[in-house]
Amino acid sequence: MEGHPGLDEQTHALLRERREALSGKDTHLATALHEQLQELGVVVRDRGRHQEYRRLA
């Protein structure tokens, strides 16, 4: 996902920050970042230790 051309730098930064929050077990921050991503039209779900995303149409 990192560097995927379909995502802008802001979205990449939010996904990186969310991944770090999840690794550190900071669920409040991870939830807030999830909501920010949704506002940008990106839906994220977790698959094990990986995040998957989908752009909303």
Side-chain angles (χ1 to χ4, degrees), residues 5-35:
L7 299 174
D8 60 25
E9 183 52 39
Q10 178 186 11
T11 303
H12 279 291
L14 290 171
L15 287 167
R16 280 191 297 269
E17 190 175 354
R18 185 174 182 273
R19 182 181 62 223
E20 291 170 12
L22 289 170
S23 292
K25 306 216 185 286
D26 187 344
T27 56
H28 293 290
L29 178 57
T31 299
L33 293 165
H34 186 269
E35 291 169 359

Side-chain angles (χ1 to χ4, degrees), residues 15-57:
L15 287 167
R16 280 191 297 269
E17 190 175 354
R18 185 174 182 273
R19 182 181 62 223
E20 291 170 12
L22 289 170
S23 292
K25 306 216 185 286
D26 187 344
T27 56
H28 293 290
L29 178 57
T31 299
L33 293 165
H34 186 269
E35 291 169 359
Q36 286 181 339
L37 286 159
Q38 282 185 325
E39 290 173 9
L40 294 173
V42 178
V43 175
V44 181
R45 72 177 181 185
D46 301 311
R47 291 281 190 155
R49 297 180 54 179
H50 302 283
Q51 299 180 96
E52 292 182 352
Y53 78 91
R54 184 180 78 224
R55 285 217 171 266
L56 296 175

